[in-house]
Amino acid sequence: MKEKFEYFECQKCGAIISIDVSKDNEKKTIYPLYCDEKQGGCGSVSKFLRLKKEYVNERQSNELDKKILGEEMK
């Protein structure tokens, strides 16, 4: 079975949380209830903003560039 993920941004800490939705055949979006600490979140119950995969990939790429190049990217 092909994995499909939905991405959400925690409105408390800004962490990006992913949820595997490949098991669900329904068309509705399932939002997380809390910010998952295993994925770098705060662990709190929060509200979430749904993100497009392209945005998540671009943001992760930018963060990796900042780590490699240091503060010059800011």
Side-chain angles (χ1 to χ4, degrees):
M1 179 181 288
K2 188 174 181 181
E3 293 181 349
K4 182 181 176 201
F5 291 94
E6 292 283 343
Y7 298 92
F8 302 90
E9 182 176 13
C10 175
Q11 297 299 286
K12 281 191 176 181
C13 71
I16 296 177
I17 305 301
S18 63
I19 295 180
D20 182 2
V21 293
S22 61
K23 300 170 194 158
D24 301 322
N25 293 328
E26 299 179 25
K27 297 282 184 185
K28 64 181 180 180
T29 301
I30 299 173
Y31 283 81
L33 298 175
Y34 65 95
C35 191
D36 191 358
E37 289 179 277
K38 293 178 186 174
Q39 296 186 45
C42 60
S44 302
V45 173
S46 180
K47 292 183 180 180
F48 292 87
L49 177 66
R50 184 176 176 206
L51 303 174
K52 291 184 177 182
K53 187 175 183 177
E54 295 80 16
Y55 173 79
V56 174
N57 290 340
E58 180 181 330
R59 181 170 167 176
Q60 289 172 342
S61 176
N62 288 341
E63 288 175 5
L64 182 59
D65 289 344
K66 285 179 187 176
K67 287 179 185 175
I68 293 171
L69 299 175
E71 297 297 317
E72 299 171 16
M73 293 292 293
K74 284 189 175 181

